[in-house]
Structures are given as C-alpha cells and as structure tokens.
Amino acid sequence: MPKTIHLAAIPNASRLTLSEMAPSVLQSEIRAMSVECDAMGGINLAQGVCDTPVPAVVEEAAIQAIRAGLNIYTRLDGIASLRQAIAAKQQRDYALTYDADSEILVTSGATGGLHAAAMALLNPGDEVLLFEPFYGYHLNTLQSMRVVPVLVPLAAPDWALDVDVLRAAITSRTRALILNTPSNPSGKVFTLPELEAIAEVAIEHDLFVLTDEIYEYFVYDGAKHISPATLPGMKERTVVISGFSKTFSVTGWRVGYVTASAKWLPSMAYFHDLTYVCAPSPFQHAAAAGLDQLPPSFYTQLAADHQSKRARLLAALRDAGLEPSVPAGAYYVLADAGHLPGKTAAEKARHLLARTGVASVAGSAFFRPGRGEDLLRFCFAKQDKDLDEACERLRKL
Ligand code: PLP
C-alpha cells in the first residue's frame, strides 16, 4: 500500500531555492556586450579573449601530446616537467627559488589558482583588501566564499596608490590583500616604491598577499614587472598566481599555476583537486614545451607587439574624443566616455556599439556601484587587421 502523504505536512514555502551566494543576475556585462556585438557583426574589444596566434612550439606540443596518449589525469599538482619549467622560469625572471615538488601547483588557469588559494587561506567573514578598479573575478571569488572584499580606491588618471587610504581600510578582520600587477582593467604596473609600501603594511598587519601576475610579460615603455614575492620578508606570505592564457594566447586551454610556501601549497592542491582534479593533461605538456623552448626574445617581442597595438588604439581613441588613460602594462585601455549619450557606462557602451560597431565594456564593471560610469574599457589583444578595422570605425564616432 502506498504511503499516505499528509498535505498539511508540506510547507507552503518551498525549500527549493537558490543558495544565498547564488547571484540574482547571472549574465556579466562583458558577456552581454559580446553577445550583442556578435549579433550585429561588430568588432569585439570587450572581452580579453586574446585571439593572437599561439606560438608554433606550444601548438605542436599540444597536438603531439594528444597523439602520444598523454590524455589521462596527471598528478594533482601537475606534471613534473611543467612544475620544473615554472620553477626555472621564476628563478630566471625574478630570482625566486621554489621547490618544484612542494611549492608549485599547476592549476586550471589563474582563475582556478586564485580559487584554490582563497579556499586554503581564507575563512568566511575575513576581510580582503582589493584595489579598485578591480578585476571582477577577484571580487566575485571572494564573495562566493563569504569572504568580504574591502575596496581600496586607486586615484585616477594614473591609478596611483595612496598608502594612507590603504592603511585606513585595515581592520582587525583583514587577513589578506589581492594585488594584480600589471592590472586589468587599468593597466597599472605597481612600482617598486608602491610595492615596498604594500609590503610594509602586509608585514606590519601580518597579511597574506595574493598576487595575480597573469600579464607579467605585457609591460610597455620600459616599465618593469616586479613580483611582491621578491621583496624582503614577503616570500612566505605571498602567493603568486599566473598562467599561460595570455602569454601563449591559449585562454581556452585552462593552464595556470600558483607558487607558494610549502606550508600552504598542499592545502591549495587539495581544494584544486576537489574542483578540477588536474589541469588539462596535453596542455600541461604544451605549456612546458613553451617555457622550455621559447627564447627570451619571444617575451620581448610579445611586449613590443602589444606596445604597437596599444599605440594604434590610443591614437584612435584620442581621435574619437575618448581620452584614454595610458596603460603601462596588460592589454586594456580605460577611456573617458563622459560626453557620450547615456546616463550609465552600460548605456554609453551600447551607444558606441550602435554607432561604430565596436564593443567595449562599461567601466562600472570594475568599480563599486556609482563609480566608473564615465569610463569604457577597450581590449587591444587583437589580430592587427581586426584592431585596425576597430580603430577606423572608432574614428567615425
Ligand atoms: N586574472 C586577470 C587579472 C585576468 O584579466 C584574467 C583574464 O582576463 C585572468 C586572471 C584569467 O586567467 P586564466 O585564463 O589563467 O584563468
């Protein structure tokens, strides 16, 4: 006999609801612009998709790895040859010594790296300092873990750091600081005096520093990328996060890494394993081949190529009356669109798309509510022909 269900026992309010953390608005402004841009056959300078060519050795090594059957799970912290290549790269570029067996974790992109690091080091209710303008994933990753991002505004137009503003944001709950240098969206490259000031604060208040260095090779006009891990007293408290998405133009491959003290790294590996198991195996082999085989000139050429793309876009934005702030690194430009029709940056971006067929991102995506409404972000990591076409269209504004 079927069990009788007493209707009175069913609560009126169903418990089938989304979690407290699930966002009510799902589509990001950046993706929304990309969709609208595709629909009208426009040129997308909104998303940092990076459609420049993949270095031949990297591409070939991926194909070879798949053909050689290197398609199964790897060790949870990544294949040995890639961990060794990352250790050698950190030594070569920054004189940072990491043990390939205990201090390097290969991750599913820098994104997976940040997630694993935050899971391992932060507790719900902790406060984490985040410079504004910020990269949305940094903010959202913290919030998804019930960690509280505390925004520290950088001053326009050159996004200079005011150490007093940084100090004023610290409370007894502050546990870490997220740094992104070179930075998306501002292109800011933190200088040595700024990093020294940040290091002083981090040491004084015993903070972790999570540093996203995914644009480490995209630096212009002689600017130098400095990892905060290189500063005295900083290595143990600093978690370096980077990856190959941008350097090798393989954003869809999902290979990045974290370097950190062996005190913290196994816990990060544990959390990364829970979500991703490992980074894609053949692409780990390809990244190792790239690190081992590409000459130093590859990295200088990468910066030179993007400096020339930056110059093209800056000139077009000035001609269009969209005054840019000149980025010292990364591959985005924030430009002043204050005079374009529309109350919000999202409306201004839509106006620009309708008038010129060029998609940009509303500056408000990178600031607290109410800020960034006069700014638009443009990405210049595009094939030259597409970038030139976009520049020509912008000039028609
Ligand atoms: N970090 C920053 C600052 C970025 O701008 C991006 C991509 O736009 C990423 C991380 C994503 O890196 P990955 O593809 O390695 O996850």
Side-chain angles (χ1 to χ4, degrees):
M1 229 188 64
K3 201 172 162 220
T4 313
I5 297 174
H6 297 285
L7 286 177
I10 299 177
N12 286 336
S14 171
R15 296 178 61 225
L16 303 181
T17 61
L18 289 169
S19 76
E20 287 164 19
M21 286 290 105
S24 49
V25 183
L26 277 176
Q27 198 178 37
S28 84
E29 182 59 23
I30 300 181
R31 292 212 191 86
M33 277 307 282
S34 297
V35 169
E36 284 183 39
C37 179
D38 282 353
M40 69 170 294
I43 300 182
N44 192 352
L45 300 191
Q47 237 173 343
V49 282
C50 192
D51 59 8
T52 45
V54 179
V57 287
V58 175
E59 190 177 280
E60 198 49 44
I63 294 164
Q64 289 303 325
I66 292 171
R67 295 220 167 106
L70 301 170
N71 300 302
I72 57 172
Y73 299 137
T74 68
R75 209 172 100 162
L76 88 163
D77 53 353
I79 59 170
S81 60
L82 180 53
R83 281 182 281 108
Q84 283 154 9
I86 292 165
K89 163 206 171 312
Q90 293 300 80
Q91 190 70 54
R92 176 195 71 199
D93 290 349
Y94 310 117
L96 280 170
T97 306
Y98 289 103
D99 174 32
D101 244 349
S102 60
E103 297 184 315
I104 294 176
L105 171 65
V106 176
T107 57
S108 179
T111 308
L114 174 71
H115 193 267
M119 286 295 285
L121 302 180
L122 305 173
N123 291 313
D126 283 349
E127 293 179 2
V128 173
L129 305 174
L130 188 58
F131 292 108
E132 178 190 40
F134 53 78
Y135 170 59
Y137 273 69
H138 292 165
L139 182 99
N140 296 340
T141 299
L142 295 175
Q143 285 181 334
S144 75
M145 296 171 186
R146 296 171 164 84
V147 171
V148 183
V150 175
L151 299 180
V152 179
L154 297 171
D158 57 351
W159 314 108
L161 170 71
D162 182 335
V163 186
D164 292 335
V165 174
L166 173 64
R167 284 187 180 279
I170 293 176
T171 74
S172 58
R173 309 186 76 135
T174 311
R175 189 169 168 86
L177 178 150
I178 294 189
L179 192 69
N180 175 209
T181 184
S183 162
N184 172 12
S186 67
K188 179 182 175 63
V189 176
F190 281 80
T191 61
L192 183 59
E194 286 175 328
L195 291 171
E196 283 171 342
I198 291 169
E200 194 181 311
V201 171
I203 292 167
E204 188 180 319
H205 293 274
D206 212 9
L207 308 178
F208 281 114
V209 172
L210 311 183
T211 162
D212 179 339
E213 304 180 9
I214 190 96
Y215 298 104
E216 60 194 308
Y217 296 114
F218 297 82
V219 282
Y220 313 120
D221 300 332
K224 192 168 179 283
H225 168 65
I226 302 167
S227 175
T230 58
L231 300 187
M234 288 297 288
K235 189 158 172 257
E236 188 172 299
R237 66 179 67 252
T238 303
V239 177
V240 178
I241 299 163
S242 191
F244 306 100
S245 284
K246 315 287 176 175
T247 309
F248 296 159
S249 303
V250 289
T251 52
W253 282 11
R254 313 311 307 133
V255 190
Y257 60 88
V258 168
T259 63
S261 158
K263 281 191 187 168
W264 328 120
L265 199 105
S267 296
M268 297 178 198
Y270 167 82
F271 284 111
H272 187 268
D273 179 33
L274 279 186
T275 314
Y276 302 103
V277 181
C278 63
S281 168
F283 300 141
Q284 290 192 47
H285 288 275
L291 286 182
D292 287 343
Q293 291 173 41
L294 288 166
S297 61
F298 168 80
Y299 301 94
T300 44
Q301 193 58 47
L302 185 71
D305 287 349
H306 283 78
Q307 185 165 318
S308 133
K309 289 177 197 294
R310 181 190 69 154
R312 293 220 232 342
L313 179 61
L314 288 174
L317 289 168
R318 287 193 185 109
D319 288 349
L322 299 165
E323 192 51 38
S325 86
V326 177
Y331 49 54
Y332 307 93
V333 177
L334 283 174
D336 186 348
H339 66 286
L340 291 189
K343 278 204 288 296
T344 62
E347 286 173 17
K348 291 174 197 293
R350 276 175 183 75
H351 171 84
L352 187 72
L353 179 62
R355 277 286 301 277
T356 65
V358 174
S360 56
V361 182
S364 48
F366 312 103
F367 291 86
R368 72 193 72 191
R371 295 194 66 202
E373 297 294 2
D374 280 344
L375 296 173
L376 296 178
R377 192 200 71 177
F378 298 84
C379 171
F380 56 84
K382 305 293 289 183
Q383 306 259 19
D384 284 346
K385 67 172 181 14
D386 295 331
L387 186 63
D388 288 344
E389 167 73 19
C391 288
E392 210 170 292
R393 289 180 181 210
L394 282 171
R395 288 195 165 90
K396 293 194 182 123
L397 185 66

